[in-house]
């Protein structure tokens, strides 16, 4: 159409359509890019969650194997460092005694697969399996891995009872075992018996179709097997025998929190983006004016917000938003459930004071260090797994959370916080830590924790120029209780001994189970030698008093060796060695007494 002057008149509808066409292309491109980025982000987050779960599962199983090896080592050494074992196995060849102690009894008590005793030339004294006990079986062949384990134990110097048994993976007659081997040594002087030098006792746990599912149940994983060619997508732990030969690969199916998250969130995201795309194109093609196009844009934004809110509400993690001052603007259903508060009581509150387990009247600089406020100041994302949140009932639970700032240009205007309850993970970590540091029978610190605490006290003593006393206690006549009343009675006796010793010393002192019937007491900041004499006499007296074991009244005693820092040594190992030697001197003096270590 031409105007009177012959100039083409502008068609406002055509211009609007052209503008709308351009906007449609931009919107389609934006939707496709956003959809792609969202899908990639969800897949990436899911993969990271699955990888993290697999790594945690691998660390957990590695710790389980380490604790199992230590238990095997402790059990086999307790039997091998026993004079009666030397007499009954190496000299008398007493089959009935073997079955009642390291044979069938040990198999059933400790859930073992095999126990055996060999001489220095690897000839069998006894071998016990759940099928029975034999001597010198012709069908048993010691391969390179088994010989490597036995020879490694024979070559290892015996430095008092501190030396642990040798552990590792071996193969016997085609079966893979986790084994621990310990030489037969006399209790008092720790030398090989003259009857059979180099004789070794071995305890083993089979890695077969019976044991592996039980280990998997302990870990809470599915499909724990040994496979030479594992499938993809499974956690893998390569195994090596004592002689370095590969022994296959342990595999299992890890938990897949990322896959579950993707399965629940991705369909909703795809549905939301598909709906937004369809509505946007529909409104764009039907637009006849700029006003209707703006109205369509407004509807589009409203629909998009509803879809994102739907995604927010279906998320399993807690999510809330805060403004630039840390006040909570919105919160999803999962967060409100975990916090135990209705949304109306959460919105508008100061997130730092409402949620974080920090004193309300604490120092200002301490509150400012919270990742919530630090992210708002810096405009950078922050993560934390060391804080805890408060519930409505004032109870606390550990959380892992991430703070992502929302920026206007380079200025933070608020942030989105995503958190999850990690109580179960913390409980698992604490349980593993407890098992690694405390004795399962008495609840006392074990040898690992003893060395850690003793080294801490030594650092303090050097810094403050004070002295430390180490009391090495060996229970007299303890094995008679085990032999006459059984191992359960022995365990009950050990628990009662531990309780008496703890009540007899200060709260700042440490009572630890060292090994078997040996205990160690660390007395910090002692005044003089007389103070240790008083403590030793008190401990000997409480050990002389009768113990109630069922219907029996049992009497035992104790022999104590005493070492003093810095008089008898400058490090934990040397002090324990000196105290141990002094304890043997007390036993030689008639038991039921104490002796001080001799100054070198």
């Amino acid at each position: 159409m031409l105007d009177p002057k012959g100039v083409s008149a502008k068609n406002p509808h055509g211009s609007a359509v052209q503008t709308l066409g351009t906007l449609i292309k931009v919107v389609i491109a934006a939707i496709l890019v956003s959809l792609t980025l969202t899908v990639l982000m969800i897949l990436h987050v899911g993969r990271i969650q699955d990888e993290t779960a697999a790594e945690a599962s691998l660390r957990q199983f590695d710790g389980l194997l380490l604790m199992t090896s230590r238990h095997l080592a402790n059990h086999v050494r307790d039997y091998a460092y026993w004079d009666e074992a030397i007499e009954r196995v190496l000299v008398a060849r007493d089959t009935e005694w073997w079955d009642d102690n390291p044979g069938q009894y040990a198999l059933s008590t400790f859930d073992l697969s095999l126990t055996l005793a060999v001489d220095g030339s690897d000839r069998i004294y006894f071998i016990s399996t759940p099928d029975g006990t034999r001597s010198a079986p012709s069908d048993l062949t010691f391969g390179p891995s088994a010989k490597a384990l036995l020879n490694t134990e024979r070559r290892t110097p015996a430095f008092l009872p501190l030396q642990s048994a040798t552990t590792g993976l071996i193969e016997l007659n085609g079966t893979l075992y986790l084994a621990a081997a310990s030489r037969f040594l006399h209790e008092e002087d720790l030398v090989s018996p003259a009857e059979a030098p180099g004789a070794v006792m071995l305890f083993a746990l089979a890695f077969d179709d019976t044991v592996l599912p039980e280990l998997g149940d302990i870990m809470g994983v599915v499909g724990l097997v040994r496979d030479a060619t594992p499938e993809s997508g499974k956690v893998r732990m390569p195994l090596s025998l004592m002689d370095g030969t590969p022994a296959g690969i342990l595999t299992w199916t890890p938990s897949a929190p990322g896959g579950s998250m993707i399965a629940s969130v991705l369909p909703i995201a795809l549905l939301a983006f598909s709906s937004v795309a369809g509505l946007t194109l529909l409104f764009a093609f039907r637009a006849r004016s700029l006003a209707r196009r703006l109205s369509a844009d407004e509807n589009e934004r409203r629909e998009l917000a509803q879809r994102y809110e739907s995604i927010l509400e279906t998320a399993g993690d807690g999510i809330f938003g805060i403004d630039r001052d840390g006040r909570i603007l919105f919160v999803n259903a999962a967060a409100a459930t975990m916090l135990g508060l209705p949304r109306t009581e959460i919105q508008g509150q100061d997130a730092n004071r409402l949620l974080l387990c920090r004193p309300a009247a604490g120092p200002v600089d301490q509150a400012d260090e919270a990742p919530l406020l630090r992210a708002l100041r810096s405009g950078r994302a922050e993560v934390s797994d060391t804080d805890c949140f408060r519930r409505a009932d004032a109870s606390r639970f550990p959380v892992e959370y991430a703070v992502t700032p929302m920026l206007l240009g380079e200025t933070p205007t608020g942030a989105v916080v995503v958190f999850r309850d990690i109580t179960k993970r913390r409980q698992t970590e604490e349980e593993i830590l407890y098992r690694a540091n405390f004795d399962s029978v008495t609840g006392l610190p074990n040898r690992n924790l003893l060395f850690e605490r003793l080294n801490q006290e030594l650092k303090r003593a050097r810094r403050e120029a004070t002295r430390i006393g180490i009391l090495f206690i060996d229970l007299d006549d303890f094995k008679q209780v085990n032999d006459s009343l059984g191992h359960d009675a022995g365990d009950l006796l050990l628990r009662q001994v531990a309780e008496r010793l703890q009540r007899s010393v200060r709260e700042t002192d440490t009572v630890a189970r060292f090994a078997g019937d040996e205990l160690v007491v660390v007395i910090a900041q002692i005044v003089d030698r007389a103070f240790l004499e008083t403590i030793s006499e008190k401990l000997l007296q409480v050990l002389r008093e009768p113990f109630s074991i069922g219907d029996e009244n049992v009497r035992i005693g104790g022999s104590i060796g005493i070492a003093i820092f810095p008089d008898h040594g400058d490090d934990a190992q040397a002090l324990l060695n000196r105290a141990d030697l002094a304890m043997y001197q007390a036993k030689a003096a008639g038991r039921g007494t104490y002796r001080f270590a001799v100054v070198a």
Side-chain angles (χ1 to χ4, degrees):
M1 168 177 188
L2 298 177
D3 63 4
K5 298 181 179 179
V7 180
S8 177
K10 293 184 178 180
N11 188 337
H13 296 289
S15 177
V17 171
Q18 184 178 4
T19 303
L20 182 59
T22 303
L23 290 176
I24 289 174
K25 294 178 181 178
V26 172
V27 170
I28 291 175
I31 290 174
L32 291 176
V33 171
S34 299
L35 176 60
T36 302
L37 291 177
T38 300
V39 171
L40 291 177
M41 180 182 68
I42 293 174
L43 294 176
H44 179 67
V45 171
R47 181 178 59 81
I48 291 177
Q49 288 182 342
D50 289 344
E51 290 175 354
T52 302
E55 291 172 0
S57 177
L58 188 61
R59 289 194 300 270
Q60 180 185 3
F61 191 76
D62 191 43
L64 179 60
L65 286 183
L66 178 60
M67 286 190 291
T68 303
S69 298
R70 289 178 176 173
H71 287 316
L72 282 176
N74 290 336
H75 294 324
V76 73
R77 197 191 63 175
D78 285 344
Y79 281 106
Y81 285 17
W82 189 7
D83 288 347
E84 186 173 348
I86 295 173
E87 176 64 26
R88 294 291 187 175
V89 177
L90 306 187
V91 179
R93 310 290 180 87
D94 188 340
T95 303
E96 182 178 355
W97 185 93
W98 170 268
D99 273 342
D100 290 343
N101 290 277
Q104 297 301 320
Y105 173 82
L107 288 175
S108 61
T109 302
F110 307 127
D111 293 328
L112 302 178
S113 304
L114 178 147
T115 66
L116 61 82
V118 298
D119 64 12
S121 300
D122 295 341
R123 290 189 295 270
I124 300 292
Y125 289 110
F126 297 104
I127 178 170
S128 291
T129 65
D131 296 331
T133 297
R134 296 177 293 167
S135 60
S138 59
D139 60 339
L140 180 65
T141 302
F142 286 107
S145 59
K147 290 184 178 180
L149 178 71
L150 296 174
N151 292 334
T152 299
E153 170 62 16
R154 291 174 179 133
R155 290 194 299 268
T156 302
F159 294 119
L160 307 174
L162 302 177
Q163 180 64 45
S164 178
T166 302
T167 61
L169 291 175
I170 64 173
E171 190 174 53
L172 290 175
N173 287 6
T175 300
L176 182 67
Y177 294 90
L178 175 63
S182 178
R183 285 165 294 172
F184 285 86
L185 295 176
H186 286 290
E187 298 175 65
E188 300 293 335
D189 50 10
L190 294 180
V191 298
S192 298
E195 297 84 358
V200 174
M201 186 180 294
L202 182 143
F203 284 6
L205 178 67
F207 271 19
D208 55 19
D209 295 339
T210 301
V211 173
L212 289 178
E214 295 178 356
L215 295 178
D217 289 341
I218 295 175
M219 292 176 55
V221 300
V222 178
L224 178 61
V225 296
R226 185 163 67 102
D227 194 350
T229 57
E231 301 176 6
S232 60
K234 291 191 175 184
V235 180
R236 309 180 183 188
M237 175 177 281
L239 301 175
S240 296
L241 300 177
M242 277 295 295
D243 62 341
T245 303
I249 300 174
L250 282 180
T251 65
W252 61 88
T253 302
S255 60
S260 300
M261 184 273 293
I262 292 172
S264 61
V265 175
L266 189 57
I268 299 175
L270 293 175
L271 176 61
F273 275 104
S274 299
S275 301
V276 170
L279 290 173
T280 300
L281 294 176
L282 177 62
F283 287 136
F285 282 119
R286 292 183 177 179
R288 290 293 182 266
S289 66
L290 182 58
R292 292 190 63 182
R293 179 162 48 83
L294 292 176
S295 177
D297 291 342
E298 182 64 24
N299 291 334
E300 175 190 341
R301 287 193 295 270
R302 186 179 298 110
E303 287 289 333
L304 186 61
Q306 291 174 353
R307 297 300 179 182
Y308 278 121
E309 183 178 356
S310 176
I311 296 174
L312 183 69
E313 291 303 306
T314 58
D317 291 340
I319 304 173
F320 61 88
I322 56 177
D323 63 13
R324 63 194 309 166
D325 297 322
R327 290 188 299 271
I328 298 176
L329 300 176
F330 66 89
V331 60
N332 74 340
T337 300
M338 282 188 274
L339 297 174
L341 287 170
R343 300 189 192 189
T344 55
E345 295 184 19
I346 299 176
Q347 293 172 349
Q349 297 291 324
D350 185 328
N352 188 49
R353 292 184 176 273
L354 175 67
L355 303 179
L356 291 179
C357 301
R358 299 174 182 272
V364 176
D365 57 345
Q366 181 180 0
D368 288 345
E369 284 304 310
L372 292 176
L373 300 183
R374 193 164 57 234
L376 290 176
R377 290 199 311 270
S378 66
R380 294 189 297 270
E382 294 279 350
V383 295
S384 173
D385 61 356
T386 59
D387 286 324
C388 63
F389 282 359
R390 282 193 298 265
R391 298 188 182 94
D393 59 0
S395 63
R396 304 180 176 192
F397 62 100
V399 293
E400 179 184 64
Y401 67 95
V403 187
T404 304
M406 296 182 293
L407 303 177
L408 181 59
E410 296 182 357
T411 303
T413 60
V416 175
V417 182
V418 181
F419 70 95
R420 65 181 53 179
D421 186 343
I422 58 172
T423 301
K424 292 184 179 179
R425 189 177 81 187
R426 288 289 173 80
Q427 290 174 345
T428 300
E429 293 170 351
E430 290 171 1
E431 182 179 355
I432 292 175
L433 182 63
Y434 180 86
R435 292 180 180 178
N437 290 284
F438 289 88
D439 176 58
S440 60
V441 175
T442 63
L444 294 175
N446 61 13
R447 186 181 304 181
N448 293 335
L449 187 55
L450 168 65
F451 273 94
E452 180 180 341
R453 291 188 179 178
L454 180 52
N455 284 323
Q456 290 175 353
E457 291 295 342
L458 289 173
K459 290 180 182 179
R460 180 189 300 175
R462 295 187 187 100
R463 184 172 61 252
E464 299 176 359
T466 57
R467 307 174 78 191
I468 300 174
I470 293 89
L471 278 59
F472 199 107
I473 305 172
D474 184 87
L475 302 180
D476 298 331
D477 302 321
F478 176 78
K479 283 187 170 52
Q480 293 181 7
V481 177
N482 258 351
D483 295 341
S484 60
L485 301 180
H487 292 278
D488 290 340
D491 289 347
L492 178 58
L493 177 58
L494 283 174
R495 286 192 287 272
Q496 295 184 20
V497 167
E499 292 172 358
R500 289 189 185 182
L501 294 181
Q502 287 181 306
R503 290 197 302 265
S504 301
V505 297
R506 302 169 300 184
E507 291 184 356
T508 56
D509 300 328
T510 295
V511 179
R513 185 182 182 190
F514 194 75
D517 58 350
E518 295 174 342
L519 302 102
V520 172
V521 181
V522 178
I523 309 295
Q525 296 180 332
I526 63 173
V527 179
D528 52 23
R529 181 183 177 118
F531 180 74
L532 292 179
E533 292 177 345
T534 302
I535 292 295
S536 298
E537 290 173 355
K538 181 179 180 181
L539 297 183
L540 291 175
Q541 179 58 37
V542 300
L543 291 176
R544 295 189 190 103
E545 297 174 359
F547 294 85
S548 177
I549 308 296
D551 296 330
E552 299 283 339
N553 282 332
V554 175
R555 289 185 179 273
I556 60 171
S559 300
I560 301 178
I562 307 172
I564 301 174
F565 168 85
D567 302 355
H568 301 126
D570 190 59
D571 62 78
Q573 188 69 64
L575 290 166
L576 286 170
N577 289 346
R578 293 290 181 83
D580 187 25
L581 289 173
M583 180 273 292
Y584 282 108
Q585 293 172 359
K587 279 189 174 293
R591 301 188 177 188
T593 186
Y594 61 87
R595 288 290 184 272
F596 281 85
V598 178
V599 179

